[in-house]
Amino acid sequence: MSCTLPVPRVIHPGSVPHLRWGIVGTGIAASFVHALHAHTAQRAVAVTARNAAKTQKFAAEHGIPVVHHSSSALIADPAVDVVYVATPHTLHYELALEAIQAGKHVLIEKPVAMSAGETRSITAAGRAAGVLVMEAMWTRYLPQTDIVRQLLADGAIGEVQLIRADFGFAMPFDLTHRLWNAELGGGALLDAGIYPISFASSVLGSPTSITAAGVLAPTGVDARADLLLTSASGATALVSTSIITSMPVIATIMGAAGRIELASPFFGPSGVTLTTGPIGSETTATWRDEAFETLNEGLGYQATAFASYVAESRTESPLHPHDEMVSIMSTIDEARRQVAVAAAP
């Protein structure tokens, strides 16, 4: 039996509105703005961050014409169409609501907020204001993800039975780093775990049961977590995350007739392999993403998708809707709770 992969459906960057982006925060934003300018028709026109000198340098490096003294000033700037929130997690909620209240579209780095409750408030505010609110889960907008969607829609592997996905790395313990700081939203689940959890959700939907085990760091953040998620269909997902364990960062969807494997790192441009047929006579097909030299250049896909949704007057992404954003954060909330309870004396 032959084994073939569909062609990814990609939005052409020139087919969407040229939006003017205001950048809040200069950490991960560097990779995003580079991809924005190098591979899309979108442009960053203003930036703000806490350190004035670093912000001026950031603006000069990326050709951003305006530096604002505060996030409120940037949000109020009539030349800004979209606010990209790239601050630490704990600031996402207030910044997103302020931008929405000002009538701006918002792209919020993951996790979109610190809890399902905050996420629900943000998405409700966006719908009420008629602006697009999207989490920067860039994986959803990659070409390889579209290949996976088409394979699942076509029933290429039969009924899905099991998903495995992980994202973990060994981070040196440092009390000054945000990953180890509970007050800054540290821990594995919020930072890395959202990727495999979101991946499982994109295939199976909201889990009907959640079982989590893990360990806490001395600072109280979750250092490692392993989750068993059961879906309404009966399929399960095994997802793992860690900031003390080096993991392969791969994802696999297994069905009755085959499996779909995403190469490492599965959350960025990498590749897809489809395997079908019985053991001993399996056939495979592989697609590799070789469009860019560096991983983070793939961040531009979500910006192009964002602009296309603005053109369609959407308030949420059809590939990552608001209810699912809330559901994913609910899963993280529950996993964090279970890990903390198990670790309690």
Side-chain angles (χ1 to χ4, degrees):
M1 179 183 291
S2 63
C3 184
T4 59
L5 292 174
V7 175
R9 300 163 296 189
V10 178
I11 303 171
H12 191 281
S15 68
V16 301
H18 299 189
L19 301 178
R20 301 167 298 177
W21 294 66
I23 312 301
V24 183
T26 56
I28 190 175
S31 296
F32 177 73
V33 174
H34 169 75
L36 198 75
H37 290 171
H39 304 297
T40 82
Q42 311 302 304
R43 288 296 175 265
V45 299
V47 62
T48 189
R50 288 175 295 181
N51 187 305
K54 287 183 179 179
T55 307
Q56 289 285 353
K57 182 180 178 182
F58 183 95
E61 289 175 347
H62 295 281
I64 301 176
V66 177
V67 174
H68 283 292
H69 69 278
S70 69
S71 56
S72 293
L74 181 142
I75 289 169
D77 187 343
V80 170
D81 301 313
V82 184
V83 176
Y84 170 56
V85 179
T87 61
H89 316 331
T90 48
L91 300 177
H92 289 183
Y93 179 69
E94 291 184 1
L95 287 169
L97 288 181
E98 184 178 357
I100 291 166
Q101 290 163 5
K104 308 291 187 181
H105 306 291
V106 286
L107 178 67
I108 310 161
E109 265 305 329
K110 63 218 148 288
V112 63
M114 287 295 294
S115 67
E118 288 187 356
T119 305
R120 193 175 291 108
S121 295
I122 290 171
T123 55
R127 286 193 295 272
V131 298
L132 176 60
V133 174
M134 201 166 103
E135 183 178 46
M137 182 51 69
W138 63 309
T139 310
R140 299 287 176 110
Y141 310 97
L142 297 174
Q144 67 196 42
T145 307
D146 186 63
I147 291 174
V148 172
R149 275 192 291 267
Q150 292 185 65
L151 290 172
L152 292 174
D154 292 342
I157 62 170
E159 184 176 358
V160 174
Q161 303 288 338
L162 176 65
I163 291 175
R164 288 180 180 161
D166 66 82
F167 183 17
F169 47 87
M171 181 77 180
F173 185 72
D174 180 358
L175 287 172
T176 65
H177 196 281
R178 66 171 183 83
L179 281 177
W180 300 104
N181 189 325
E183 294 182 357
L184 295 179
L189 280 161
L190 286 170
D191 194 83
I194 192 168
Y195 279 108
I197 292 170
S198 179
F199 179 80
S201 174
S202 71
V203 179
L204 299 180
S206 300
T208 55
S209 68
I210 301 164
T211 303
V215 297
L216 295 182
T219 55
V221 304
D222 51 280
R224 193 189 78 233
D226 303 298
L227 282 65
L228 170 63
L229 308 175
T230 303
S231 71
S233 69
T236 55
L238 302 173
V239 301
S240 296
T241 187
S242 179
I243 52 175
I244 57 173
T245 311
S246 178
M247 294 182 175
V249 196
I250 56 177
T252 306
I253 307 169
M254 290 163 269
R259 62 186 181 274
I260 303 168
E261 298 167 282
L262 282 85
S264 181
F266 78 87
F267 59 79
S270 53
V272 181
T273 296
L274 170 66
T275 302
T276 58
I279 294 175
S281 58
E282 293 176 327
T283 59
T284 66
T286 298
W287 179 89
R288 295 290 305 183
D289 193 334
E290 299 175 340
F292 305 123
E293 292 184 3
T294 62
L295 182 76
N296 287 335
E297 289 182 88
L299 288 164
Y301 289 114
Q302 69 179 348
T304 295
F306 189 101
S308 76
Y309 302 152
V310 169
E312 295 166 356
S313 299
R314 295 182 182 272
T315 58
E316 59 188 316
S317 165
L319 303 182
H320 193 194
H322 288 171
D323 286 349
E324 189 185 3
M325 288 164 55
V326 173
S327 170
I328 290 166
M329 287 307 302
S330 294
T331 298
I332 292 175
D333 287 349
E334 177 60 16
R336 294 177 74 197
R337 185 194 71 80
Q338 290 186 27
V339 171
V341 167

